[in-house]
Amino acid sequence: MGDMQGHDVELDVTSIAHGGISVARLDGRVVFVTDAIPGEKVVARITDDRKKSFWRADTVSVLEPSEHRQAHVWSAASIDRDPARRAGGAEFGHIELSHQRELKRQVLVDALTRMGKVDEETTKGITVEALDGDDDLSGTRWRTRIRLHVDEAGRPGPYAARSHTVVAVDDLPLATEAVEAAAPLEQLFAGEEQIDVLAPSDGGARLIVGSQARTTVVERVGDREFRLDDGGFWQVHRLAAGTLTAAVQDLIDPERFDPRAMNLDLYGGVGLLAAAVGDRFGQATRITSVESDTRATDHAAENLAEWIGAAAVTGRVERWITELATTSSPGERQRLRDATVVLDPPRSGAGREVVERIASIEPAQIVYVACDPVALARDIALFAERGYQLQDLRAFDLFPNTHHLETVVRLSR
């Protein structure tokens, strides 16, 4: 270790970086600093000085606050607490909500232009859209699912920011009221590692202690019901599933959509986006949803049962799409060229192998749902190498008071 770790320094904060941290300079050196806002002068404690190229630091006090600074929406994460004991998961909670969205827009535009090689003209009109009701609630009360970790003494709580230290809290303001009310913050769970608290559309809140047996829950999007395991993946914001359904329906170019083609929904989960496509283009829509989790695929088959041409298959997307690309008959190849491919990969993105396989089947259009702007930008650059250009984009603030955002794009040749 160097000799600066644990020391407090004054920093001028210049810009935002991906990951909810700000960029500052100290004698020409880059310092990544938490709990700050671009434009501020802060006192920060150096937490990592091992690298020559940059250091890391936590803000401990603010000398010149931004006009966008507010009292933190979660006192457990506030700057008044020792950085090692600040609750994680609300790293933008000290920033006024509309400015959070502006910072997210900057991160997205920066990723698209620098890594995605998208020209600046294309990024001009980008905004990060708010979801209904979030402004009235200052970006709180949206999480329908929350994970608590258990400390040595058995007490549940969130991890501290950027560590695996469990911190005791007495409220969970980002959680919906039902989730907060059900969270057993005062109980002890000796010997357990984690507690999941969720409040699906139907049947009230529930806890999953450790790796308890799974039960099925129902989530509603508009008039449609989706069944899934209580511990299975579902969008966290109370309005996220409906927002993404509408966004995917909106971004598919109907001129390029063929209901009889071999349309694909990759990383399909329990069938949310395949159903969005089916609802937009009708009963005759053919679409295959591909998901590696067997339980999710079983639910997807049931959730998509009303479309005769819908299928849910279990498979790792990389392997499945490779097989499809290499074994399809001439007739299938034509139906793939007419296809719309929807994909919603994990945070790490689709990556080169999957991008190249998708591009090799030459689909009519690709609609990509991304929860990480940097991974998305890398994949956009890879698609561009294969002739697929960004045609349209919408970005959504599905995770208020955190640095995360969701982006949906359409690519075509």
Side-chain angles (χ1 to χ4, degrees):
M1 287 291 171
D3 55 3
M4 283 304 288
Q5 180 140 347
H7 283 251
D8 289 358
V9 293
E10 277 187 25
L11 297 174
D12 288 307
V13 185
T14 55
S15 59
I16 193 76
H18 180 46
I21 41 185
S22 294
V23 181
R25 301 257 165 200
L26 181 66
D27 307 328
R29 178 190 304 282
V30 169
V31 182
F32 289 121
V33 58
T34 67
D35 298 316
I37 305 174
E40 292 188 326
K41 184 190 278 288
V42 302
V43 175
R45 190 161 297 151
I46 303 293
T47 57
D48 185 355
D49 63 354
R50 288 171 298 186
K51 287 204 168 59
K52 277 212 174 79
S53 51
F54 66 86
W55 290 351
R56 293 185 182 279
D58 291 325
T59 300
V60 288
S61 65
V62 183
L63 301 174
E64 292 171 20
S66 160
E67 58 181 341
H68 305 293
R69 181 171 280 274
Q70 62 179 14
H72 204 291
V73 296
W74 192 8
S75 58
S78 138
I79 201 164
D80 312 329
R81 290 185 75 148
D82 173 350
R85 309 292 304 164
R86 282 177 204 162
E91 61 283 352
F92 271 7
H94 61 291
I95 308 170
E96 193 271 317
L97 201 51
S98 63
H99 193 61
Q100 293 182 29
R101 294 185 193 118
E102 166 54 23
L103 295 175
K104 293 181 194 198
R105 186 196 66 78
Q106 290 173 18
V107 167
L108 175 58
V109 167
D110 180 61
L112 290 172
T113 49
R114 279 194 314 123
M115 292 173 187
K117 315 278 193 289
V118 174
D119 67 88
E120 283 182 28
E121 200 52 40
T122 310
T123 64
K124 277 225 168 85
I126 290 177
T127 59
V128 176
E129 301 175 42
L131 273 58
D132 282 353
D134 281 349
D135 283 322
D136 303 336
L137 295 164
S138 306
T140 63
R141 301 295 172 220
W142 55 268
R143 289 195 72 107
T144 60
R145 287 158 166 70
I146 209 148
R147 171 162 290 178
L148 301 171
H149 303 275
V150 181
D151 68 13
E152 321 280 61
R155 175 142 188 203
Y159 279 147
R162 298 162 303 284
S163 86
H164 286 164
T165 306
V166 179
V167 294
V169 299
D170 48 24
D171 66 341
L172 298 167
L174 299 197
T176 62
E177 283 172 352
V179 167
E180 186 183 60
L185 296 173
E186 301 302 322
Q187 291 177 38
L188 295 181
F189 294 87
E192 296 294 349
E193 283 183 12
Q194 65 191 41
I195 314 286
D196 288 314
V197 191
L198 64 149
S201 306
D202 265 18
R206 59 188 65 211
L207 303 183
I208 309 172
V209 179
S211 51
Q212 204 170 310
R214 293 181 279 205
T215 60
T216 300
V217 295
V218 172
E219 290 286 4
R220 250 195 223 101
V221 182
D223 303 332
R224 186 165 292 294
E225 289 188 348
F226 292 86
R227 304 183 95 70
L228 64 147
D229 282 355
D230 53 9
F233 176 77
W234 186 254
Q235 292 289 340
V236 175
H237 189 295
R238 60 198 161 73
L239 299 179
T243 300
L244 292 178
T245 292
V248 166
Q249 290 171 339
D250 176 50
L251 260 76
I252 292 174
D253 178 357
E255 300 288 304
R256 287 175 174 265
F257 187 84
D258 179 352
R260 292 173 309 283
M262 280 183 77
N263 300 300
L264 301 177
D265 169 33
L266 305 178
Y267 312 94
V270 297
L272 174 72
L273 299 181
V277 177
D279 274 337
R280 169 84 172 77
F281 294 101
Q283 289 294 325
T285 304
R286 296 189 51 158
I287 189 161
T288 301
S289 189
V290 184
E291 165 59 49
S292 61
D293 181 320
T294 321
R295 294 278 306 179
T297 312
D298 290 346
H299 287 302
E302 193 182 334
N303 294 333
L304 299 172
E306 75 184 64
W307 290 280
I308 307 295
V313 299
T314 305
R316 285 186 61 94
V317 168
E318 304 88 300
R319 281 196 211 128
W320 191 88
I321 195 106
T322 300
E323 197 163 308
L324 184 71
T326 49
T327 64
S328 44
S329 68
E332 284 174 328
R333 273 202 290 279
Q334 185 52 54
R335 292 214 311 283
L336 286 167
R337 277 195 288 275
D338 295 335
T340 293
V341 175
V342 177
L343 68 154
D344 183 6
R347 182 151 284 141
S348 53
R352 181 174 289 279
E353 187 188 347
V354 172
V355 167
E356 288 182 350
R357 289 294 185 266
I358 292 172
S360 75
I361 63 177
E362 301 179 4
Q365 62 186 329
I366 296 158
V367 175
Y368 186 143
V369 179
C371 59
D372 185 289
V374 169
L376 171 67
R378 288 194 197 114
D379 286 347
I380 284 176
L382 293 172
F383 272 119
E385 288 172 15
R386 307 296 298 266
Y388 283 88
Q389 300 299 327
L390 177 62
Q391 306 293 343
D392 203 355
L393 176 149
R394 289 181 72 188
F396 300 93
D397 195 12
L398 292 196
F399 311 91
N401 292 310
T402 81
H403 72 276
H404 299 290
L405 75 157
E406 198 89 1
T407 311
V408 187
V409 301
R410 181 177 74 248
L411 309 166
S412 63
R413 285 192 152 137

